Amino acid sequence: MFLPSAQDRSDARTLPEALRAHAAGQPERLLYRFLPTGEPPALEWTFAETDRRARAVAARLLHIGAPGRPVLLAHSAGLDFIAGFLGTLYAGAIAVPVLPPRANGHARRPAAERFAAILHAADPAAILASSALAPALAWTHLPLIPLDSLDPAPETLDLPAPDPAAPACIQFTSGTSGTPRGVMLSHAALVANARMIAAAFGHTPESRGVIWLPPHHDMGLIGGILQPLFVGFEVTLMPATAFLQRPMRWLEAVSRHRATTSGGPTFAYALCAQSPAEPKETLDLSSWDVAFVGAEPVRSATLQRFAGRFAPSGFRASAMLPCYGLAEATLMVSAAPRGAGIHVADSPAGAPCVDCGPAVPPAEILIVDPATHAPLPENAAGEVWLRSPALGDGYWRRPDLTRDAFHAQLPGDPYPCLRTGDLGFLRAGHLHITGRLKDLLIVRGVNHMAHDIEATAESAHPALQPAGCAAFALNTDAGEAVALACELRRDQRREDPSIIVQAIRDAIAQTHDLELAAILLLPPGALPRTTSGKIQRALCRERHQTNAWQPLHLWTPAASDAPCAPGPPSLDRAAIAQWLTARLARVANIPAQQIDPAEPIVRYGIGSADAVGLAGEISAALHVDLPAMALWDYPTIAELAGHLSREIAGLSEQPS
């Protein structure tokens, strides 16, 4: 039975205040349950244990003089990550969550470059990480505090009460561009958004959550970790890799722990809906009454397929709850009414758009003409502008970008607004997103700038025309995907198109960790341009969708929802290598003859999500426990086959 906290959560001005109140009022109640592999056994912390662990982190940060300075939180998903984040807030320092580098050094180039860019931009006082990461982070020459081996904080530790207006964390947006943008969030903004989420989702201390979203992402951190702490309910967490390796783990956790609230981007529902694995007879989703969906454009057809497939397991379509938000507003801005399900309306241009609900009070949504900044009436499409107590204070050390985005003003109105760069319209006060003003592509919740992708593609092969590539978004059942249209040089049109396509896919996968949905090779001058020579990406998308182009070559991935093929005929190294080659050829959509067992697997144009999924397929087919990130520990088919043959034979081997 729930016991009220000594201090009601509505009175808390900061998250440390909320945690202290819950730890005092209900110390032994479960707060966090973490499933390291996505399945039992679990690690569990009560409110009191969470408070104790956070205090231990705070004690170390106070000792090195970190208050008021950024602290890099380079730890993988788990309870130690939570202790690090909350301990940083307890100490009055500024938490900067970032994906950690791989301990064995086999990080993908995008991850390594992004880590280095954030480290440089944040200029932290210290790094919070696991002790195993110490050798990989020695080059930073920063104090490293190992979260897995901290002594308890002394009972007399005097922790400062954070100023609600002071910065609490910096959210670096999940993009791949060269200079990351860090959104500064105050303690007050975190609490304001926590109240908004609780109101929109109807959360109470009796709610139960299941979250697989990464804690370095705003939805995973704000919605998955901080929201349960603020309201005071238990949440079951798992690594994103466990979900990607076997998506049904998410739904099984919802069923096992009787979750009332859970969700993710559209692609998460798509992965479950198209999973070849049949739901277990024991799968019971009847407790799930808030299935939120956001972080990327919402696809009604995908959600309807999900609801239809899992209706026999007790899932109710009315539980679907589309919402809209962004890191610059902490997280949530608008949400559809709880229990209303999915509603679709036609945009002013006639395209179907999902209803993302009204602004969650006290936030305010305005639709503005992006050229004149004049407010537009209902049913007119324009740029989405915001006012909210949960808005960030700007971009960390980027005054120019802060001024442009956070200090926009309507004519004659002195109050600033946030320019989101998203396009949409209001109908009966409900927000509908129609597109984006910026050349921003969102794939599986990660931001990609179109010009960055184009620059990578243009340098992938000498047959491609300089400044002759266009990256644009495609709507698929699984969410937004990226297509590339590339002009060939006049003297290179006889080049083998399959070699050009493979070079483009390799470059995009290695640099942006992205798998493309289509590549069109076009003759010179085929891309539509403005009078000043700028490529018109929206028109490229329209021409592709209407088949208005006659490309010299068109590549698309092989579409197959077929179940996983059986394992190899024998379990010796050679047979396993041959079987792995066939599996990789299917995922990468290339002939098996083009795959070199000595080349890195990720060279063949597959993104990290596909690599994790491939590891899951291998585990199921060979009946071995292959870690989700095994393709980085054993990066070639030859090495992976050797590891698997030894694993099956019961022998041990250190990763290469």
Side-chain angles (χ1 to χ4, degrees):
M1 182 176 179
F2 170 67
L3 298 175
S5 297
Q7 176 183 354
D8 186 78
R9 60 178 170 81
S10 63
D11 295 334
R13 301 182 306 157
T14 67
L15 289 172
E17 285 184 19
L19 177 55
R20 287 169 179 164
H22 287 305
Q26 47 184 2
E28 300 309 314
R29 189 175 186 192
L30 178 65
L31 174 55
Y32 295 118
R33 177 188 295 112
F34 181 66
L35 306 173
T37 64
E39 298 174 9
L43 306 173
E44 297 182 342
W45 282 1
T46 63
F47 282 97
E49 181 68 6
T50 303
D51 176 68
R52 186 179 73 83
R53 300 277 187 153
R55 286 172 173 272
V57 175
R60 287 294 298 274
L61 292 175
L62 290 170
H63 178 71
I64 65 171
R69 293 191 59 190
V71 171
L72 211 65
L73 179 50
H75 201 286
S76 56
L79 299 183
D80 284 337
F81 173 95
I82 297 172
F85 185 90
L86 296 175
T88 304
L89 268 58
Y90 263 11
I94 307 169
V96 185
V98 61
L99 275 170
R102 295 280 287 164
N104 60 10
H106 290 154
R108 289 178 66 88
R109 191 169 74 187
E113 291 178 348
R114 177 173 167 76
F115 179 86
I118 291 177
L119 179 72
H120 176 74
D123 187 22
I127 299 179
L128 300 176
S130 66
S131 54
L133 267 182
L137 294 172
W139 62 273
T140 66
H141 304 293
L142 288 169
L144 188 141
I145 299 175
L147 292 174
D148 51 350
S149 58
L150 287 179
D151 295 328
E155 294 292 334
T156 57
L157 178 65
D158 184 21
L159 292 174
D163 179 357
C169 73
I170 302 174
Q171 288 193 124
F172 279 90
T173 54
S174 54
T176 60
S177 55
T179 306
R181 301 181 179 187
V183 181
M184 298 183 292
L185 299 176
S186 67
H187 289 271
L190 292 176
V191 168
N193 212 237
R195 289 198 177 99
M196 292 166 64
I197 296 171
F201 289 173
H203 284 158
T204 72
E206 301 307 319
S207 298
R208 294 177 300 277
V210 166
I211 299 292
W212 59 265
L213 294 150
H216 316 89
H217 185 279
D218 52 1
M219 188 181 282
L221 175 63
I222 309 297
I225 293 175
L226 303 185
Q227 172 68 187
L229 180 152
F230 180 74
V231 177
F233 63 84
E234 72 176 57
V235 61
T236 300
L237 306 164
M238 70 174 71
T241 50
F243 162 73
L244 292 171
Q245 191 176 31
R246 193 168 74 80
M248 293 299 290
R249 283 183 174 132
W250 172 31
L251 305 188
E252 290 164 7
V254 169
S255 173
R256 184 184 311 118
H257 299 290
R258 310 305 299 146
T260 62
T261 183
S262 189
T266 296
F267 85 84
Y269 294 93
L271 289 179
C272 292
Q274 67 192 25
S275 171
E278 288 300 319
K280 295 180 179 179
E281 292 183 2
T282 56
L283 189 68
D284 181 2
L285 304 179
S286 60
S287 64
W288 196 359
D289 53 26
V290 173
F292 58 85
V293 54
E296 65 180 16
V298 179
R299 314 291 175 196
S300 61
T302 300
L303 302 182
Q304 289 166 3
R305 273 194 296 276
F306 177 93
R309 179 172 184 187
F310 295 103
S313 301
F315 183 80
R316 300 181 301 279
S318 60
M320 287 291 186
L321 198 156
C323 45
Y324 168 77
L326 65 167
E328 285 81 354
T330 303
L331 179 61
M332 175 175 283
V333 173
S334 75
R338 188 168 179 262
I342 302 293
H343 290 274
V344 179
D346 286 340
S347 72
C353 297
V354 171
D355 180 349
C356 290
V360 180
E364 180 185 5
I365 296 174
L366 305 98
I367 305 299
V368 175
D369 184 314
T372 66
H373 295 184
L376 297 173
E378 281 215 341
N379 299 316
E383 186 181 5
V384 179
W385 287 23
L386 305 175
R387 288 177 177 147
S388 169
L391 292 184
D393 292 329
Y395 295 113
W396 175 255
R397 295 181 175 176
R398 300 294 299 274
D400 52 338
L401 296 178
T402 297
R403 181 179 60 255
D404 293 342
F406 286 85
H407 297 161
Q409 289 182 307
L410 301 173
D413 190 332
Y415 297 103
C417 300
L418 171 71
R419 296 189 66 169
T420 68
D422 292 317
L423 300 174
F425 65 95
L426 292 172
R427 182 163 297 166
H430 287 217
L431 178 64
H432 301 72
I433 299 296
T434 61
R436 278 182 292 279
L437 184 66
K438 300 177 289 187
D439 293 319
L440 182 68
L441 308 168
I442 304 178
V443 181
R444 294 188 170 185
V446 178
N447 299 343
H448 300 268
M449 297 303 296
H451 58 79
D452 290 338
I453 295 173
E454 292 160 359
T456 299
E458 288 162 13
S459 61
H461 196 280
L464 298 173
Q465 184 82 359
C469 290
F472 52 92
L474 291 182
N475 293 331
T476 71
D477 290 344
E480 189 162 275
V482 177
L484 263 173
C486 303
E487 294 177 344
L488 296 180
R489 301 168 65 105
R490 294 188 184 278
D491 58 346
Q492 298 285 337
R493 291 177 59 178
R494 296 186 181 275
E495 182 73 40
D496 184 347
S498 65
I499 295 177
I500 301 173
V501 164
Q502 191 59 50
I504 294 172
R505 294 181 63 214
D506 289 351
I508 297 300
Q510 289 292 323
T511 305
H512 303 280
D513 194 13
L514 183 66
E515 168 61 23
L516 298 171
I519 299 176
L520 298 90
L521 299 182
L522 305 171
L527 291 176
R529 290 174 166 84
T530 65
T531 54
S532 61
K534 293 181 180 178
I535 292 175
Q536 296 175 293
R537 299 184 181 96
L539 189 52
C540 290
R541 173 180 176 176
E542 180 182 328
R543 288 187 179 181
H544 177 66
Q545 291 177 328
T546 58
N547 297 315
W549 268 321
Q550 293 184 335
L552 302 173
H553 182 78
L554 171 63
W555 173 90
T556 57
S560 174
D561 291 335
C564 172
S570 67
L571 297 179
D572 62 87
R573 182 170 184 160
I576 292 174
Q578 186 176 7
W579 182 83
L580 289 172
T581 300
R583 302 279 66 71
L584 178 58
R586 179 181 62 80
V587 173
N589 190 29
I590 58 176
Q593 302 91 306
Q594 294 184 10
I595 295 177
D596 183 347
E599 285 286 335
I601 293 171
V602 295
R603 175 206 177 283
Y604 294 99
I606 64 173
S608 59
D610 292 321
V612 171
L614 181 59
E617 180 181 330
I618 294 169
S619 295
L622 299 185
H623 306 289
V624 297
D625 184 16
L626 188 65
M629 305 306 289
L631 272 65
W632 281 262
D633 292 333
Y634 307 96
T636 70
I637 284 179
E639 292 173 288
L640 184 58
H643 165 71
L644 289 170
S645 64
R646 281 182 284 270
E647 186 79 9
I648 291 168
L651 302 175
S652 62
E653 180 203 21
Q654 292 296 320
S656 61

